[in-house]
Amino acid sequence: MAAARVILHIDLDCFYCQVEQKRLGIPASVPCAVQQWEGLIAVNYAARAAGITRHMRVKEARQHCPDLKTVHVQTLGGSDGNGEEFGPANRDKATEKACLERYRRASVEIIGLLHRSASKAVIEKASIDEVYIDVTALVDEELQERAAAEGGGPRRPGLRDGTEGLHGFAWGSVVVGGPLDEGSEVDQRLACGAAIACRLRGAVREQLGFTCSAGIAGNKLLAKIASAMNKPNQQTLVPSRAVPSLMSDLPLKKLRNFGGKLGQELEALGCTTAGEVARHPRAVLEARFGMQRTAWMLQAVNGISDEPVQVKEKVKSMLAAKSFDAATSDVAAIKRWFRVLGEELCDRMLNDYAEHHRHPRTLSLSYRGGGNGGYATDRSKAGPMPRFGKDSPSIEAIADAAMALFQKATETLPCTRLALSAHDFAPAALTEQQGAITRFFAGPAASAPGPSVSPLPSTPAPSSSPSASRAQNQPGRAAFDKLFKGVRKSSLRQTSTEQPSGSGNMHGKHIQPADICLDGVDIERQRRILQDIRVQQAFAARGSDHPDEQQASDILTPQPLHQKRDQQELQRQMKSTSTTDRSGTKATHPNMSSKRPRLELSKTQPKLTSLFGRLK
Ligand code: DCP
């Protein structure tokens, strides 16, 4: 039988407050709160003791506690541009936007330290200030080491350094339901987990100056409940024998996934605690929630969960947004907002680059505009992310690219919301290679160092090679017609003049891959058509509807993520086609055999060559 799991939940105390207090040197004993505009979003424990709660208005909070120090969250776009000071904060929501970058940075620091301190544990980031850590393997290792050190004698829980007497068996933990049972192997394992939690909390405190609380239990659900039980700066351990009594009186809102609508529905059935749900007639619950959901609910309210601790994937996109209280038609103001949003995005991209060494390849603009007759929901336009300088494009380049997208969009004014997002990440080495390929085709002038303002991929400069000039003389429209020849155009759904991102353009009518009927079209042409939609999309963002083949081939430089997506799209469409023809020709693009210097792109070049071959 597998050894019992040991799971930690670590949660920073009054997180935003701690970040600001550390930054500004405000002692923990001073009542302090973080405000965003007129409301409080984080309150420290000294202020909580004075009756201050989250969401209180600043004015009301000061009535409760005249000594309260308030720190405004960082804002972008203001005259001083930083929102550094504490005390009365004259922030203007109309011209500034809140920026949470300080807290994100602190979070990255803390999680990085936890990873370094418990490299063999599985760590799942649950939010900006909380993580789950599966320390089962570490516990196994520590207990084995201890057993070996004691020559196979009776195992005693504790740290490797033999200082367990200092903190007692549970390492300073509050143990739910009384002392641990030293004869129980499961309790010994939890005690060892408590030692690890103690060590990790100590590291965070000593090395970064933040206090946190921890829960130690046999699963994520119980560990999370436990970490909140004795805040701040304490840890709580839940032995298995204490689970029934703990759950019996636990308010449903303290149980993950039982807040919100589900909590309200259970309350309507007369259940406000986990125990009440557990004791409710199962048939009633099944009639209301169905058998499957009821089975899940009954496990949770009894403290049972086998949900694994999983390393979260890296974020797929990052967004900076601003909503306006009053709609604006001031284009200069919108341009200014793009700089503010670009600044936030740049900051996040830099951090992400430092952590993951990757770059986003696409910049998307979302907007809500068009006045009363306009769109109620966000519309979007996407284009290539401006080229990277050392680590990130300049704020100005992002603002210019965003403005270019905005100017191509329709029904934008008056505008009530703007958002910029960076997505479609690729390893930095790949985007750097793409930049090199683009510069290669753009000729020597483009290779010279200069400001990072041109979009990636950039439009190739005129070339003197015969094939390139033929391609340039060939009208883009003709090339596009050639590509779509034989495709049942009647099946192309024509949509409005504005299109959601991810769509292509055919003679001014916007199409999406899913709109095309590809029955009877061979697989190679299907691939080319889908690629062409991508080309159109990239070109639409650059102000040209119909690229010629040379330009198209430049856009189709290898982008494995795109290709993967295209393949998935193809597979999806293939399900509804009866294609059998798998022919494909290989050829070398004339440019490849020209006298231009060859780039050392060992991995990229073969793919590039085959793409050119397909486009011939
Ligand atoms: N936060 C926010 N708005 C909310 C909830 C939280 O901006 N409605 C921010 C401020 C918090 C941070 O997220 O500092 C973490 O949220 P928590 O719920 O973990 O609360 P705290 O860390 O502030 O306090 P606690 O010690 O109770 O966990």
Side-chain angles (χ1 to χ4, degrees), residues 11-16 41-42 45 48 54-55 128-129 231:
D11 186 10
L12 273 289
D13 302 318
C14 54
F15 184 48
Y16 288 11
I41 58 171
Y45 283 83
R48 290 184 205 190
R54 180 183 285 161
H55 301 314
I128 194 165
D129 77 331
K231 273 188 155 257

Side-chain angles (χ1 to χ4, degrees), residues 4-7 190 216-223 238 305:
R5 288 198 302 160
V6 183
I7 310 295
L190 289 173
I216 305 110
N219 65 44
K220 285 168 78 174
L221 179 144
L222 292 169
V238 186
S305 164

Side-chain angles (χ1 to χ4, degrees), residues 440-603:
F440 171 72
F441 284 111
S447 307
S452 312
V453 291
S454 63
L456 191 160
S458 65
T459 311
S463 157
S464 57
S465 86
S467 66
S469 60
R470 205 172 46 242
Q472 275 159 8
N473 292 336
Q474 185 179 31
R477 185 171 181 142
F480 192 76
D481 281 344
K482 199 172 91 186
L483 186 70
F484 274 86
K485 197 172 160 204
V487 175
R488 281 162 45 197
K489 292 183 188 173
S490 58
S491 64
L492 297 176
R493 192 181 67 204
Q494 296 179 6
T495 57
S496 67
T497 50
E498 189 48 47
Q499 84 274 30
S501 58
S503 64
N505 176 312
M506 189 177 183
H507 302 173
K509 284 123 192 160
H510 296 283
I511 53 173
Q512 296 186 40
D515 296 331
I516 306 169
C517 173
L518 292 166
D519 288 348
V521 178
D522 75 61
I523 190 164
E524 197 55 33
R525 289 204 54 226
Q526 289 188 28
R527 198 187 309 279
R528 288 179 61 188
I529 286 163
L530 290 170
Q531 283 173 341
D532 192 77
I533 289 171
R534 204 173 79 227
V535 172
Q536 291 292 325
Q537 197 184 328
F539 264 79
R542 292 157 53 176
S544 159
D545 269 353
H546 302 296
D548 60 43
E549 288 187 357
Q550 169 62 36
Q551 290 170 328
S553 67
D554 190 52
I555 283 176
L556 289 173
T557 48
Q559 295 179 338
L561 295 178
H562 276 141
Q563 286 167 7
K564 197 170 159 198
R565 237 180 8 226
D566 285 352
Q567 274 161 10
Q568 284 165 353
E569 180 63 31
L570 262 177
Q571 278 165 5
R572 197 174 62 72
Q573 296 200 11
M574 283 293 289
K575 284 186 187 156
S576 59
T577 65
S578 54
T579 305
T580 50
D581 184 348
R582 288 180 162 266
S583 66
T585 51
K586 289 227 170 200
T588 309
H589 192 277
N591 262 5
M592 284 298 173
S593 57
S594 77
K595 286 182 182 156
R596 301 185 71 171
R598 283 174 69 88
L599 284 184
E600 285 305 315
L601 298 170
S602 52
K603 283 188 184 155

Side-chain angles (χ1 to χ4, degrees), residues 273-347:
T273 65
E276 283 165 355
V277 178
R279 292 187 291 273
H280 211 72
R282 187 173 184 134
V284 175
L285 295 175
E286 283 182 348
R288 177 72 193 79
F289 300 103
M291 282 172 65
Q292 222 178 339
R293 201 156 173 227
T294 300
W296 165 80
M297 267 174 17
L298 288 177
Q299 292 234 312
V301 295
N302 283 299
I304 300 165
S305 164
D306 58 5
E307 189 187 322
V309 174
Q310 282 172 314
V311 178
K312 281 262 173 71
E313 277 191 7
K314 297 168 202 162
V315 292
K316 291 200 170 70
S317 66
M318 41 194 64
L319 178 112
K322 175 70 188 177
S323 296
F324 307 120
D325 285 345
T328 179
S329 293
D330 181 347
V331 175
I334 284 168
K335 178 79 202 272
R336 200 179 65 83
W337 277 114
F338 283 141
R339 273 195 291 274
V340 173
L341 298 177
E343 186 179 346
E344 187 173 356
L345 213 52
C346 265
D347 226 3

